[in-house]
Amino acid sequence: MPGGRLTQQERQQIALGLADGLAYAEIARRLDRPTSTVTREVMRNGGPTAYRAELAHRATERRAHRRKQAAPRGPQASVQPYGRDAGAVSEFEEVYATAMMASGMPLMMARVLACLTLTDSGSLTAQELAQRLQVSPASISKAIAFLDGQGMVRRERDERRRERYIVDDEIWYRSLMVSVQSTAQLVEITRQGAGVLGAGTPAAARLEAVARFLDFVAEGMARAAEQARAVLHTSAPPGPQGSPASQEGAEGLAGPGPERR
C-alpha cells in the first residue's frame, strides 16, 4: 500500500470520485489508500461538496511549509511523555479531528477538542492551544465559544489567573444532554407549528409526526446517557472484545430488559 503524502493526481481522482457520488471507502480502494486518508483529505479541504483537487494540493503544500518553519529545533522537538511516538500522536490527533468533522463539527472546533482530549492533563490555555495548532488566538477563542456552548469544554482560572480550557470525563455526557435539550425545544416549536397550520391538515399532521419522532429520540438519548454515564468514570481492564469480562460489563451497563406490559 503506498505511503506518504497524496499526489496531485490522487487528489484529482478523489475529486472525480466525489463528483461520481462514490463513498470514501470506494475512492480509497481505487487509490489503494486507507479510508481514513481520503476522509481526512476531503474534510480538511472543504468537504465533499466543495473539495477541489488543485486548491487542496496548494493548501497542503502551504501547511507543510508552515509546519517546517514552526517546528522546534533540538532534542526536545520530539519528546513525548510515557515514551510515545510524537509522529504517531500527531497523526492520530489529525485523524481524530477529522472523525469529529465527519460527524458535523467545524474544522477548528474539532482540532481544538482533539488537542485538548489527547493531552494527559486535559487542560490548556489559549496561548498553549494557539502554539500547538499554529493558529491565531482569535481562532481559538471562536472555537472555545462554540465548544463551551455545546457543553464540551469548561473554563477555569489557574493560580496565575489565566483562563484554562478543560475537557474531563463528563464532556460527552454534557454534550449529549445539550443535544437532548435542543431537540426538546425543537419538539415544542414543531408542535406549535402544527397548531398554527390547523388540526387535521396534511401539513399539521406531518409536523405532529415529526414532533413525536423527535420526542421519542430525545427521550431515548437522555435515558441512554444516564445509563451509560458510569462508563465515563470506570477504568475497565483491557481485554479482547467479546470476552466474558467485557460481556459482563456490557450486560451490567444495559441492566435488565424493558418490562413488557
Side-chain angles (χ1 to χ4, degrees):
M1 179 178 293
R5 295 175 182 169
L6 290 166
T7 66
Q8 189 166 7
Q9 182 179 6
E10 286 177 316
R11 290 191 167 94
Q12 290 171 349
Q13 291 177 342
I14 290 174
L16 290 173
L18 293 171
D20 289 340
L22 299 181
Y24 294 149
E26 176 59 21
I27 296 173
R29 187 189 66 78
R30 295 185 180 192
L31 294 176
D32 195 20
R33 290 275 192 171
T35 302
S36 61
T37 298
V38 174
T39 304
R40 182 169 62 250
E41 166 69 15
V42 174
M43 296 307 297
R44 76 183 305 181
N45 290 290
T49 59
Y51 182 83
R52 299 293 182 273
E54 183 64 29
L55 294 178
H57 194 71
R58 292 178 184 175
T60 301
E61 290 181 337
R62 287 196 299 270
R63 285 192 293 265
H65 181 66
R66 286 200 301 268
R67 282 196 296 267
K68 185 176 180 181
Q69 287 184 322
R73 304 296 180 184
Q76 296 299 316
S78 60
V79 171
Q80 280 277 330
Y82 302 101
R84 293 172 180 139
D85 183 322
V89 172
S90 178
E91 175 69 14
F92 177 73
E93 184 174 311
E94 189 173 336
V95 170
Y96 193 45
T98 301
M100 288 188 282
M101 287 165 55
S103 69
M105 186 177 291
L107 169 61
M108 187 51 60
M109 292 65 172
R111 293 189 66 201
V112 167
L113 184 59
C115 187
L116 281 168
T117 302
L118 299 187
T119 60
D120 288 299
S121 66
S123 170
L124 293 170
T125 65
Q127 182 179 7
E128 289 167 340
L129 281 166
Q131 289 175 345
R132 286 173 178 246
L133 298 176
Q134 294 295 302
V135 297
S136 69
S139 297
I140 298 297
S141 178
K142 183 177 180 181
I144 289 295
F146 173 89
L147 294 170
D148 191 16
Q150 297 296 312
M152 304 200 77
V153 298
R154 57 185 176 86
R155 306 168 189 250
E156 285 186 3
R157 293 281 181 180
D158 62 17
E159 65 280 359
R160 297 170 57 184
R161 305 301 299 165
R162 299 176 303 178
E163 190 172 64
R164 302 192 70 86
Y165 308 122
I166 299 170
V167 296
D168 55 30
D169 293 338
E170 290 273 297
I171 65 167
W172 293 105
Y173 169 78
R174 290 197 304 269
S175 178
L176 271 176
M177 296 312 293
V178 168
S179 179
V180 167
Q181 293 166 6
S182 298
T183 303
Q185 292 174 355
L186 182 57
V187 168
E188 180 63 27
I189 292 172
T190 302
R191 285 189 168 136
Q192 291 175 10
V196 170
L197 293 170
T201 66
R206 185 181 306 115
L207 284 184
E208 183 56 40
V210 170
R212 289 197 304 271
F213 170 79
L214 293 176
D215 196 21
F216 184 85
V217 170
E219 182 181 346
M221 286 175 58
R223 184 165 55 248
E226 288 294 345
Q227 291 174 344
R229 192 176 188 181
V231 173
L232 297 169
H233 305 281
T234 302
S235 298
Q241 184 70 24
S243 66
S246 62
Q247 290 176 357
E248 180 181 351
E251 292 169 0
L253 171 63
E259 180 181 352
R260 295 189 180 275
R261 298 182 178 178

